[in-house]
Amino acid sequence: MTVDREVIREHEQSPPDEVSRATVIAYAVAATLLVGWFLFGWLVLRQGFVDSVGESAGAGFALLLVISVIGTVRRSRR
């Protein structure tokens, strides 16, 4: 019982990791670029709506994959 309580206390006392301002700005820029890419494909290139959504979603998922790989490499070095 004591071990469980000590583990719970350790988790309660650790402060949550805060997201830096640069990270929030980078995500906002990426979201803006993805929306712009969608609008460019739909309105300028005159692709279909579904094609533009799929292309933007694919670019977004690729970006998330790159971010996750970079985050994994950075955490493994610590």
Side-chain angles (χ1 to χ4, degrees), residues 44-58:
V44 176
L45 297 178
R46 300 208 180 263
Q47 294 176 345
F49 179 79
V50 175
D51 290 336
S52 295
V53 169
E55 191 172 331
S56 300

Side-chain angles (χ1 to χ4, degrees), residues 5 9 13 41 49-50 54:
R5 289 183 183 168
R9 285 186 193 134
Q13 293 175 354
F49 179 79
V50 175

Side-chain angles (χ1 to χ4, degrees), residues 7-75:
V7 170
I8 291 173
R9 285 186 193 134
E10 288 176 6
H11 288 292
E12 288 176 352
Q13 293 175 354
S14 63
D17 294 335
E18 293 184 16
V19 179
S20 68
R21 183 175 292 168
T23 303
V24 173
I25 291 172
Y27 283 147
V29 168
T32 303
L33 288 174
L34 287 174
V35 169
W37 185 254
F38 162 74
L39 291 174
F40 178 75
W42 187 37
L43 300 174
V44 176
L45 297 178
R46 300 208 180 263
Q47 294 176 345
F49 179 79
V50 175
D51 290 336
S52 295
V53 169
E55 191 172 331
S56 300
F61 286 129
L63 184 61
L64 286 174
L65 179 65
V66 168
I67 289 171
S68 109
V69 168
I70 290 172
T72 301
V73 169
R74 287 183 65 197
R75 286 188 186 194

